[in-house]
Structures are given as structure tokens and as C-alpha cells.
Amino acid sequence: MEPFQDRAQAGRVLAERLRPRVTGDVVVLGLPRGGVPVAFEVARALDAPLDVFVVRKLGVPGDEELAFGAVATGGTRVLNEQLIESLDIPREWIEAIDAKEMRELERQEHGYRGDRPPPDLRGRTVILVDDGLATGSTMLAAVRAARAEEPERVIVAVPVAPPAVIDLVREHADDVVFVHAPESFGAVGSWYADFSQVTDEQVRELLRRARRPPVPGPPEVFQRLTGSAADYDPVLERAREARFVLLGEASHGTDEFYRARAEITKRLIEESGFGVVAVEADWPDAYRVNCFVRAANEDTGPAEALADFRRFPAWMWRNTEVAEFVGWLRQHNDALAAGTPKAGFYGLDLYSMYASMDAVVSYLLEFDPEAAERARRRYACFEQFGRDPQVYAYEAGIAGAEPCEEAVVEELIELRNMAGKLAAKNGSIDEDRHFYAEQNARLVANAEAYYRAVFRGGVESWNLRDRHMAETLDALVGHLERTRGPAKVVVWAHNSHLGDARATELGQAGELNVGQILRERYGHEVLLVGFSTHTGTVTAASDWGGPAERKRVRPALAGSWEELFHNLQAPDLLLGTGDLQGRRLERAIGVVYSPETERISHYFHARLAGQFDMVLHIDATNAVEPLEPTRDWEAGELPETYPWGV
């Protein structure tokens, strides 16, 4: 067995052993100092984040290289009682050495991380890396300390260790990956041609390099957008085999994002057989639009059809681009031959809890007044909270009020079971109307659970909401396929809902989203298209519930995907993500934009190649125009050079 050239070469060899045995959300932790150069190469090869896991040996006095134990992050201590007894080490010596090494451990952690918190290990695959194991005590302390953070798996990875030590560590770790396991071991350093000491500064530099986004290869440019009819040909080509095309947005108020989604969707409807547009909007509000575009209500135009979108943020759907698209949908449907299925417009979100209750009762009043009265009594549970979902969220979520969960579930079950009864009573049943009512009842049940979760914090409420949207898609497709035939769906929602969450740090924290769920269910039948911008203006509020403002979008931060695309010096691009390797910052502006805290409020790390199939980048964008512009929106933000104008 040849010795390794150095720790970097050992890390590259070790990474190849690890690659087929590692899946999922991975974080690589190097044991400083010697384990960090090895871990750096492992993390780079696996495209995984790198951090340090500080462990200090408790060395035998006079022979400090011989460890009788170790301490690790979190105060974990592991002692080799057999060695302590054989050397007769006094307990007071053990406590004194322990205190000294804990002080050094805290100093090292601060020196390596500064004020940066340690990584969140919960639910992740943790790979603990050192340059070799002699007794295993240091690594055992690391394994036990890592276990306290509730990871999914703990894997120990080392270039070299004795077989007996590997067996010992394997009893505590989920897996041990190694390159050499010689019976005649000697010392770790004897297995390296270059085993020079690693300094703290070298550790810090490797951590800095690991956090710095790698320089990706040249992106695959599908199309430079010129405004021609052929701009979106690559999307149409990729969508040929898809059942679901998910079109994102990097903000909820950018004109070009709405316009591009509309143009792509028009072509998908006209050329590729798509007939369902499902959007990040409330079910009852969007259903009025659906009725208008299918000539099934009395609304006289798009603005009137969009009139139910009054809840904050109204501009998200009551804007000029959506109104134009809704008008186009109506014209498209009106021109179809009799009997041809018409394109529909549907909402996926769950904020309309009270409007959906009213819709359920109204539907039942028409067909079964007694059932309507039962629904009224069940939904009356919410009246004590003043029909305010935020009050219900607080009172039922954390203040101890009796929740309305049982009542809303009972109503959902009754409505689901009464289709046959209504058909028998009335001779037939309007399946679309009953489905609409049933979805409102399901929305109420899911919204009730969502609002109870809001004040508890964590990712539960986000996950409930995205699961609801994915379930609504499934139910909608199932209903349409039963009543009309095959259904192909275009989804409009924010990037954060449509890009696969598993490729983002939000996913690492436990969030899931619609894009991830659909990929897991439908695989290659799903096409994910993300959107990005470098700068411009956006329609957003300064606070939740505030008025719509036209706000300036700051130029993208250094180290972001948006900065990378801006530096291509081509204003508008349609890009493939296959060559965009590594992690970079990605910006997400919702209905609130806080430029003064932009890094914390609006950026997260993402692997674009795993998040989307394609990305549409528009370098300088403009705010979408609300149908009712406010004074704040009309004024807009003053330029940075005011009052000099230079």
C-alpha cells in the first residue's frame, strides 16, 4: 500500500469511495486541523457544503499524542476507561486536562467560524472526516456530538485507520468509509509523503474557499431573447413530453415575468395541448376567472372577472398583464369549435378560508338546505375569532383556544360523500360545481391546520401550504381527466414554490415545495422553469398588508446567480442549468421587499442545476402595473442620485 502524497490527494481518493454510498442532503464536517484539507476535497467532489467539527484530544501527560479521551462541540466527552485504568491517571488530572481542552475548543471554534453559527445537522447525512484514526477516541467524540443534533445518518470517512479502530467506530456510526486498513499501522503520519502541520489560517482559508461559489462552466444559452416569436422555442421543445410545466417568478411584482409566463402559456395552449392554468392564488377568487374565460358567468370583461382579488396583495393578480392574459384566454375559448374542451384558470392557494366556507354553504343552500344548515353550524366555530384568520392562528395555535379541526373535517367528509345523494335527489349533478364546492371544503380543512401552525414557527406551515397546492393539482387533474380527458397543466407561482426545494438551503432546513413534490410523483413529466433579474423596479409592499409601492431593485449581490448572468453581458437570456454546477446565492422577492436587509431577507443558497431545468433571466425589469395604482405606486422610489440627478 503506497502512502498518500498529501492530505488533498487522500481526500480525492476517499471521495471516490464515498460517492456511491452517499445520497440525499449531505454536509461534510472536517475535524481540524488535519481533517479539513481532506474534507475540503471530499466536499468539493460531492458538491456538498463544508464546515468544521471541533474535537480536542485529552492527551496522556508526557505523551500527549496518546489520547485517553476527547471533548467535542456541545461539551461531549469520551473517555477510554481501559487506558485510564491501565495508566492509573488520577481523576483530578482528567478534570484539569478536560477544562484546558474545552477552553481551547471554544477558542478554535470562534477562530474558525467567527460569529457564523455551526451548520444545522437535523435530518441530514453528516460525513465526519479526519486524515486518519489511531485510537479512534477523537472520532468517537465527534460521532456522539453529531448524534445529538439528530441527523439522518452519520458516516465516518478517513483515508487510513487500523482494522480494530474501524470496527470500534462502526459500532457508533452508520457507516465507515476508508481507503487503507493496515494491520501494521504505526502512526497516521507514516501513511503520508507530506504530513506537514496544518495551521489555523489554512483551515480558515479552506473554509472561505468552500463558501465561495465555484466558478461554473459557461452556461448553456438556449436563446438570447429578442422579442421574436421564436424566443421560447426551447421551452416548447422541452415541454413536448411534459404533463406539468411550472413557470416561476423571482418576485410577485415584475412585469416581464408575468408577460413571459403569459406568452409561453399561450403557445403551450395553442401548440402543445395544454388546457389548465393553475396559479398561486385562492381557489374561489380564481374560479370566478375560470367561469369567465369559459363563458360560464355574467362578467363582462377581465377586470370584472378579477374583482374578487381584493385581499392583500391584490396587485399580484389584479394587474394589467394578468388582465390581458385572461382576455386572451376568453377569446381563445370563444373561437373553439363546439364540444372542444376549453382552457381553464384555477387557484391553488389556501388563504381564502372564510370565502371558501361561504362558497360551501351557498352551494348546499341550492341543493340541500338541511346540509347547508349543518355546514353553517360547523363553520360557526370560527365566529368567536371574528372571521380573522390571524386571530384564529394565534388563539388556536398557541393561546389554547379549542380548535375547529373536527368541525371542518366532518364537513369535508359529508360533502365528499353526498355527490351520489344529490344526483339521486335532483336527477343529475353538475360535476364541476360539486368539485368546486368539495375543493372549497378541503381548502377550509387545510387552511385551519395551516393557521394553527403559523405561530408555532418552523417549516410546518410552509409545508402544509405547499402540500395543499400539490394536492389541489392532483385533485384538479383527476377531476378533469374523468370529465374531459387528458389534462396538461401550466403552473404559475413563485420560484420558491416551483424550484425543487431539495437543491436549496431552505430544503436543507426541512422545507419542501410543489416543484419537489411533483418531481417525486411524476419525474420527467415535470418541467421546471425559473426566472431571475439583476436590477430594475418591482411592485411590492414595505410591510405585510401595506400599500403597493413601485420600489427599486438593488443590483444583485456578489456571488449570486443573478450576478453571474448579468456578467454575461447579454440583457435577456434563456439558459439551461446543466452546466451551472455548485451553490450560489439566489434572490427571492415576495410581496414584501426590504432592500435595507436584502441579504438576510431575500437571499438563500441554491444549486440551480438541481432546482430548475431552465432559467429565464431578464437583466433589467420593471414593476407590474396594478389595475388600481396607488399614489405610492405612481410616485415610485426616487433615484439614488436625488436631488442632484447625476
Side-chain angles (χ1 to χ4, degrees):
M1 291 181 283
E2 292 292 323
F4 302 105
Q5 297 170 12
D6 54 21
R7 292 180 177 91
Q9 189 254 341
R12 291 190 290 271
V13 176
L14 183 61
E16 292 306 311
R17 299 288 179 95
L18 275 161
R19 196 186 301 276
R21 296 164 73 167
V22 174
T23 58
D25 181 13
V26 176
V27 59
V28 178
L29 302 180
L31 274 58
R33 292 184 289 256
V36 176
V38 183
F40 177 82
E41 298 295 337
V42 169
R44 184 160 64 172
L46 300 179
D47 189 24
L50 171 70
D51 214 314
V52 291
F53 202 82
V54 182
V55 184
R56 297 287 302 177
K57 291 180 182 179
L58 302 179
V60 174
D63 187 7
E64 278 72 17
E65 281 301 307
L66 178 60
F68 65 81
V71 291
T73 298
T76 301
R77 182 171 77 171
V78 179
L79 299 178
N80 185 337
E81 294 290 354
Q82 185 177 359
L83 182 62
I84 291 171
E85 185 177 348
S86 66
L87 296 177
D88 196 23
I89 303 174
R91 285 291 163 181
E92 57 268 24
W93 288 17
I94 294 173
E95 298 304 323
I97 295 168
D98 180 293
K100 171 179 173 292
E101 295 301 338
M102 278 300 298
R103 288 193 298 271
E104 180 61 17
L105 183 147
E106 292 168 0
R107 183 198 67 78
Q108 276 189 294
E109 283 205 311
H110 182 75
Y112 296 146
R113 286 204 186 91
D115 294 327
R116 185 170 55 87
D120 183 5
L121 306 185
R122 186 184 303 271
R124 305 172 74 180
T125 295
V126 175
I127 303 177
L128 294 168
V129 181
D130 206 350
D131 54 11
L133 303 180
T135 67
S137 58
T138 301
M139 185 59 75
L140 285 175
V143 170
R144 291 183 181 179
R147 288 274 192 219
E149 299 298 318
E150 300 181 9
E152 181 176 344
R153 297 177 71 209
V154 176
I155 298 174
V156 170
V158 291
V160 61
V165 173
I166 290 172
D167 292 341
L168 174 65
V169 174
R170 189 176 278 124
E171 293 177 7
H172 301 274
D174 295 297
D175 196 2
V176 179
V177 180
F178 57 92
V179 180
H180 297 321
E183 290 288 351
S184 179
F185 183 77
V188 172
S190 64
W191 292 93
Y192 289 85
D194 178 3
F195 196 64
S196 53
Q197 184 174 356
V198 179
T199 66
D200 284 342
E201 183 51 44
Q202 286 174 314
V203 171
R204 285 190 287 268
E205 175 58 24
L206 288 171
L207 293 175
R208 281 193 293 269
R209 286 173 58 191
R211 291 196 299 273
R212 194 179 304 142
V215 179
E220 180 184 8
V221 177
F222 287 148
Q223 195 83 18
R224 295 183 184 275
L225 304 182
T226 63
S228 76
D231 276 351
Y232 304 119
D233 282 356
V235 179
L236 272 290
E237 179 64 28
R238 294 284 293 275
R240 185 174 297 171
E241 303 300 323
R243 292 177 64 196
F244 299 88
V245 174
L246 279 56
L247 303 176
E249 60 184 357
S251 86
H252 280 317
T254 298
D255 182 88
E256 287 81 0
F257 296 161
Y258 283 92
R259 191 182 312 155
R261 292 192 303 193
E263 293 306 313
I264 294 169
T265 304
K266 290 175 187 177
R267 291 193 60 189
L268 289 169
I269 291 172
E270 290 183 322
E271 302 173 33
S272 299
F274 283 75
V276 181
V277 182
V279 303
E280 185 188 339
D282 290 332
W283 175 259
D285 300 349
Y287 201 78
R288 178 172 176 178
V289 178
N290 178 63
C291 292
F292 168 74
V293 301
R294 298 172 62 231
N297 65 11
E298 302 302 318
D299 288 333
T300 58
E304 187 177 356
L306 291 162
D308 285 351
F309 287 103
R310 293 295 179 184
R311 181 186 59 78
F312 175 86
W315 76 83
M316 188 171 157
W317 299 109
R318 284 190 61 77
N319 63 62
T320 57
E321 294 297 339
V322 172
E324 189 280 332
F325 176 71
V326 168
W328 179 90
L329 265 183
R330 173 63 181 264
Q331 291 174 359
H332 167 82
N333 285 340
D334 287 348
L336 294 174
T340 304
K342 297 181 178 182
F345 187 93
Y346 302 90
L348 300 175
D349 223 332
L350 50 56
Y351 289 122
S352 60
M353 183 165 71
Y354 291 100
S356 289
M357 291 181 202
D358 294 340
V360 170
V361 173
S362 295
Y363 172 76
L364 291 173
L365 274 172
E366 187 174 344
F367 298 103
D368 191 332
E370 292 181 2
E373 183 56 33
R374 288 194 296 274
R376 240 194 226 108
R377 288 199 299 270
R378 288 168 179 146
Y379 291 154
C381 174
F382 292 92
E383 291 179 1
Q384 60 184 305
F385 307 106
R387 290 178 67 92
D388 185 335
Q390 298 303 317
V391 173
Y392 179 75
Y394 175 79
E395 293 292 340
I398 63 173
E402 187 70 25
C404 299
E405 178 181 12
E406 184 176 345
V408 298
V409 171
E410 284 178 356
E411 183 55 37
L412 172 60
I413 293 171
E414 178 173 343
L415 195 59
R416 280 178 172 169
N417 292 334
M418 70 186 306
K421 176 183 175 183
L422 290 176
K425 180 179 179 181
N426 299 287
S428 65
I429 185 173
D430 185 326
E431 290 192 58
D432 281 350
R433 289 193 64 194
H434 190 80
F435 176 73
Y436 167 68
E438 185 179 316
Q439 290 309 298
N440 274 308
R442 190 176 65 82
L443 186 153
V444 174
N446 287 347
E448 185 277 331
Y450 167 81
Y451 283 116
R452 274 191 289 113
V454 162
F455 277 101
R456 294 200 291 267
V459 301
E460 182 184 1
S461 60
W462 173 277
N463 290 349
L464 281 167
R465 183 180 170 212
D466 273 56
R467 284 196 185 99
H468 169 81
M469 290 196 276
E471 288 169 7
T472 301
L473 273 173
D474 276 343
L476 179 60
V477 168
H479 168 72
L480 294 175
E481 289 186 340
R482 284 193 306 274
T483 57
R484 292 175 176 80
K488 299 174 77 173
V489 184
V490 185
V491 180
W492 292 11
H494 198 280
N495 285 349
S496 56
H497 294 292
L498 300 191
D500 193 325
R502 293 171 294 184
T504 72
E505 71 174 83
L506 304 174
Q508 293 172 359
E511 285 189 5
L512 51 76
N513 66 6
V514 175
Q516 172 187 339
I517 294 170
L518 291 189
R519 266 188 173 173
E520 290 173 341
R521 290 179 183 171
Y522 300 103
H524 295 299
E525 293 185 302
V526 178
L527 177 65
L528 306 183
V529 183
F531 287 63
S532 76
T533 186
H534 173 65
T535 191
T537 58
V538 66
T539 297
S542 293
D543 299 289
W544 184 265
E549 303 172 49
R550 184 167 38 175
K551 300 165 76 75
R552 293 184 65 257
V553 177
R554 291 186 174 183
L557 292 180
S560 66
W561 291 112
E562 293 84 358
E563 180 208 40
L564 174 69
F565 300 152
H566 170 70
N567 289 341
L568 296 175
Q569 298 183 336
D572 304 329
L573 296 165
L574 182 62
L575 302 153
T577 61
D579 295 321
L580 298 176
Q581 300 304 310
R583 297 166 74 247
R584 282 178 170 258
L585 292 171
E586 182 181 316
R587 178 160 53 193
I589 298 172
V591 295
V592 172
Y593 180 43
S594 305
E596 64 278 2
T597 59
E598 188 163 47
R599 170 62 183 89
I600 297 173
S601 301
H602 299 291
Y603 279 91
F604 57 92
H605 284 95
R607 293 185 296 105
L608 219 61
Q611 189 183 12
F612 296 108
D613 299 302
M614 310 172 82
V615 172
L616 193 151
H617 176 76
I618 300 173
D619 207 57
T621 50
N622 295 284
V624 72
E625 182 178 352
L627 289 181
E628 296 91 9
T630 63
R631 182 179 301 177
D632 293 318
W633 191 91
E634 293 282 9
E637 286 190 343
L638 294 170
E640 287 184 344
T641 54
Y642 178 85
W644 297 277
V646 297

